[in-house]
Amino acid sequence: MRDQVQHVLDALRQQNGLYVASPSNTYHYVWIRDICYISLSELHRDGGRFEETYHSMLDIFRKYEWKLTYHAKHRPRAVYEYIHPRYSADTLEEISEPWGNAQNDAIGAFLFGIGQGLRRGKPMLRDERDAHIISLLIAYLETLEYWNDEDNGMWEENRELHASSVGACVAGLLAVQPYFAVRWEIIRAGFRALYELLPQESVSKSCDLALLSLVYPYRLLPPDLAQIVVTNVEEQLLRPRGVIRYKGDQYYQDSGKEAEWCMGLPWLGLCHAELGNRDQSLSYLALTMRVMAENMQIPELYLPEQGVANENVPLGWAHALFLVLYDRLCGTA
């Protein structure tokens, strides 16, 4: 089982160590956020794959070092000025078409991964230039004032202050603080903004799948609040084949019902593992196996009325969460 799921994920891995989100035409890009989540399945393993992935993402940032240098001191205003979260899989160039490029959580996720790797003794930084890129990203978040910056969020939609984005930045800054200069004031400002928003995701979304990131992988919440977030998602968003992102989601809406995202199932399993609820974690592992398509492929989502998956099969993010959950429950990590 595990080897088959790993094989599907490996097919999305490029020679440079990056991953395309999905082999479909619509998702054949590299997203910083997706890759950071995908790489979590390699965090506890040897062999160099985890750091190789981050070295290639650092190469993207090095290509746009001029942009980072400018916006480390000058706050971006227009969406295109933000550090982009999505790039061409072939050229690693920014995508020029209009997009919700203000996605602060992608930067937070990247810093979090760097910090996690360094804490485990992995050679995350190849030279001083890599270290300089990290310092620029830290300065970028401070200049951006991420704690009150309205971004497009994890789902790349309307701009507002998102708890998941603020939390990702807090987690990323905390992760690199032992190795880089990070002013405590900007972490404290992030925590303050985060707790003013919780348990909501934003002004417009009282409950959102993205909130699970605060429980896993970021582990930012005390147990009682983490349980509230998980319970809210289960009571409001859990569906038979997955988890809807939020109520009223228009993406792949089917007969007025929201699309059911498969990756929400292993994600909930990991959150329950964080809370010490092994039985619930095992239940979500089994549910994920039930929604797999052919050849152990996990789709992005199912249409609720038609009961069929969309074209984004497999989704790398979903496979990685399944592998992390499987390894955690089966004792291989």
Side-chain angles (χ1 to χ4, degrees):
M1 159 69 73
R2 191 201 186 284
D3 289 346
Q4 290 173 288
V5 176
Q6 182 71 62
H7 178 73
V8 174
L9 183 59
D10 287 346
L12 303 180
R13 186 179 176 90
Q14 310 297 289
Q15 289 186 348
N16 56 14
L18 300 176
Y19 294 81
V20 294
S22 177
S24 69
N25 291 331
T26 53
Y27 273 16
H28 193 74
Y29 299 101
V30 294
W31 266 273
I32 296 296
R33 177 196 307 102
D34 287 52
I35 294 171
C36 290
Y37 274 88
I38 290 172
S39 69
L40 291 171
S41 64
E42 298 288 345
L43 177 60
H44 297 281
R45 297 180 173 274
D46 298 325
R49 283 168 62 115
F50 183 83
E51 54 265 38
E52 180 187 11
T53 295
Y54 274 84
H55 293 164
S56 289
M57 285 193 284
L58 279 164
D59 286 340
I60 294 176
F61 290 132
R62 284 164 75 143
K63 179 181 291 190
Y64 292 96
E65 186 173 355
W66 60 269
K67 185 174 184 178
L68 261 177
T69 300
Y70 181 80
H71 287 297
K73 295 182 179 179
H74 303 87
R75 185 174 182 173
R77 302 295 178 180
V79 172
Y80 72 87
E81 293 180 304
Y82 280 71
I83 305 305
H84 284 208
R86 183 182 69 140
Y87 299 84
S88 164
D90 300 319
T91 66
L92 303 184
E93 298 283 343
E94 290 181 347
I95 308 299
S96 59
E97 67 182 274
W99 199 262
N101 286 315
Q103 297 175 40
N104 301 339
D105 74 291
I107 304 301
F110 178 80
L111 292 176
F112 179 79
I114 290 287
Q116 291 295 301
L118 290 172
R119 188 162 70 88
R120 288 163 177 78
K122 296 181 182 292
M124 303 300 293
L125 307 175
R126 297 161 294 184
D127 52 31
E128 288 299 319
R129 191 177 178 196
D130 278 354
H132 181 59
I133 292 294
I134 302 303
S135 296
L136 288 174
L137 288 170
I138 294 168
Y140 169 77
L141 290 181
E142 180 170 2
T143 299
L144 190 63
E145 297 183 0
Y146 74 90
W147 54 89
N148 61 25
D149 185 62
E150 296 184 347
D151 76 337
N152 295 110
M154 188 176 286
W155 311 130
E156 307 175 319
E157 296 181 338
N158 59 301
R159 290 187 68 169
E160 56 183 338
L161 192 62
H162 293 92
S164 59
S165 292
V166 174
C169 294
V170 169
L173 292 169
L174 282 171
V176 297
Q177 190 181 41
Y179 314 100
F180 292 87
V182 182
R183 294 197 313 117
W184 175 247
E185 288 80 2
I186 71 171
I187 295 176
R188 184 170 55 194
F191 269 120
R192 185 183 302 115
L194 177 61
Y195 279 87
E196 287 176 356
L197 283 165
L198 290 172
Q200 295 199 165
E201 163 70 350
S202 65
V203 170
S204 71
K205 299 181 180 70
S206 62
C207 187
D208 193 300
L209 175 59
L211 285 168
L212 294 184
S213 63
L214 306 178
V215 183
Y216 178 86
Y218 299 137
R219 303 181 178 94
L220 285 175
L221 308 182
D224 289 349
L225 185 52
Q227 184 64 66
I228 289 172
V229 167
V230 171
T231 299
N232 285 347
V233 170
E234 289 178 321
E235 291 181 350
Q236 300 181 41
L237 308 181
L238 181 61
R239 300 292 187 269
R241 301 178 189 86
V243 182
I244 67 172
R245 298 190 299 182
Y246 55 87
K247 290 183 178 179
D249 186 7
Q250 299 292 308
Y251 182 73
Y252 276 96
Q253 195 177 97
D254 182 19
S255 301
K257 294 183 179 180
E258 302 90 346
E260 302 172 10
W261 286 63
C262 300
M263 72 180 187
L265 300 175
W267 208 344
L268 278 168
L270 285 165
C271 290
H272 276 291
E274 292 294 328
L275 293 168
N277 304 328
R278 180 175 174 83
D279 288 345
Q280 288 94 325
S281 293
L282 286 167
S283 176
Y284 280 112
L285 184 71
L287 281 172
T288 310
M289 292 166 62
R290 290 220 306 261
V291 302
M292 287 179 175
E294 296 180 359
N295 302 320
M296 302 296 178
Q297 295 184 341
I298 306 175
E300 176 184 50
L301 57 84
Y302 278 92
L303 302 177
E305 285 296 312
Q306 300 179 43
V308 297
N310 71 348
E311 75 273 19
N312 300 322
V313 184
L315 185 73
W317 191 344
H319 278 258
L321 291 178
F322 175 85
L323 289 170
V324 176
L325 180 60
Y326 185 96
D327 289 346
R328 186 159 181 170
L329 294 175
C330 298
T332 57

